[in-house]
Amino acid sequence: GAGVSQTPSNKVTEKGKYVELRCDPISGHTALYWYRQSLGQGPEFLIYFQGTGAADDSGLPNDRFFAVRPEGSVSTLKIQRTERGDSAVYLCASSSKRPGGTDTQYFGPGTRLTVL
Amino acid sequence: DQQVKQNSPSLSVQEGRISILNCDYTNSMFDYFLWYKKYPAEGPTFLISISSIKDKNEDGRFTVFLNKSAKHLSLHIVPSQPGDSAVYFCAATSTSYGKLTFGQGTILTVHP
């Protein structure tokens, strides 16, 4: 079946602009995660949705970052007033996790964001 | 505070030999551990996982060992193949959380 898809694959923007990154999870997966990976590092957690609600947004670095998942499927990560330090690969993952259970997260190919 | 550490940035092995990748963690709440493989320009691909109630899990050429008292896990690949060359990430989580905490990764190179 189809895996996690992310669009766009690459995004180049100028400092101060607004960007939206989209994630399409595996069909039927209730949990959706966003991570950010900088060069030479492992992915770092940003936010986790269980259904439509954000169950944990403790990884969002500041209030310029926001994510939504209005219908419990597709999610959009929104970054306002982008800064050069926001340049990274943004990864989305999904799983069939139920609250209180462990699970395997399956990742998309990522969106490479470059802020000039 | 790096809760998951992979202390070897790189590892080079000969085709057919064993590759051993190591990972240490500090958070006692972690009870589920995963290994992912990543090729350039792709997302991490799930390889194998282990629950804290086990000390070993095998899947084909891949075996993960967990030593809870030492807070250490390792991934063994036998025999190693050139196609295994990639970055390997160790990750940990808990039934209390959803998020994964990743190590920094180890670049594995398998020479023909």
Side-chain angles (χ1 to χ4, degrees):
Chain A
V4 178
S5 62
Q6 293 187 245
T7 54
S9 54
N10 279 285
K11 177 72 178 176
V12 180
T13 191
E14 293 179 345
K15 180 174 178 293
K17 299 288 189 185
Y18 168 82
V19 296
E20 289 190 352
L21 312 178
R22 177 189 166 107
C23 173
D24 248 293
I26 293 170
S27 177
H29 277 188
T30 56
L32 185 146
Y33 309 80
W34 284 99
Y35 294 83
R36 176 167 74 171
Q37 185 174 18
S38 301
L39 199 60
Q41 301 295 318
E44 291 181 307
F45 170 77
L46 295 176
I47 186 169
Y48 153 47
F49 288 90
Q50 187 64 255
T52 59
D56 181 357
D57 65 359
S58 62
L60 294 177
N62 51 60
D63 61 7
R64 296 187 296 106
F65 288 75
F66 189 71
V68 295
R69 194 186 185 200
E71 297 176 359
S73 178
V74 170
S75 176
T76 305
L77 178 66
K78 308 180 182 197
I79 310 174
Q80 297 178 324
R81 305 183 304 281
T82 51
E83 299 178 357
R84 293 195 180 90
D86 299 335
S87 297
V89 175
Y90 289 80
L91 293 163
C92 177
S94 72
S95 78
S96 54
K97 174 178 168 64
R98 297 288 184 260
T102 53
D103 69 337
T104 297
Q105 296 179 25
Y106 297 91
F107 284 81
T111 293
R112 179 174 297 279
L113 175 67
T114 304
V115 182
L116 301 176
Chain B
D1 175 28
Q2 192 77 30
Q3 296 186 62
V4 178
K5 289 185 182 177
Q6 293 175 255
N7 290 317
S8 297
S10 63
L11 175 68
S12 182
V13 300
Q14 207 68 31
E15 182 178 7
R17 306 295 282 265
I18 185 171
S19 295
I20 300 176
L21 298 106
N22 294 301
C23 178
D24 297 293
Y25 63 95
T26 57
N27 190 336
S28 302
M29 293 291 291
F30 291 147
D31 57 12
Y32 189 61
F33 304 88
L34 308 91
W35 285 93
Y36 286 85
K37 178 168 76 172
K38 188 180 184 303
Y39 294 118
E42 295 184 10
T45 301
F46 170 71
L47 266 180
I48 192 168
S49 62
I50 187 166
S51 164
S52 61
I53 62 173
K54 295 186 173 182
D55 54 19
K56 177 182 172 182
N57 189 27
E58 267 183 273
D59 184 1
R61 297 186 297 115
F62 302 92
T63 303
V64 56
F65 295 92
L66 175 62
N67 182 335
K68 286 190 294 296
S69 61
K71 293 192 175 68
H72 177 84
L73 64 156
S74 60
L75 174 68
H76 292 209
I77 308 173
V78 183
S80 302
Q81 299 173 354
D84 296 329
S85 297
V87 181
Y88 288 77
F89 290 99
C90 165
T93 188
S94 156
T95 50
S96 305
Y97 328 140
K99 63 186 180 185
L100 294 175
T101 301
F102 283 84
Q104 309 95 308
T106 297
I107 301 169
L108 173 66
T109 304
V110 180
H111 298 283

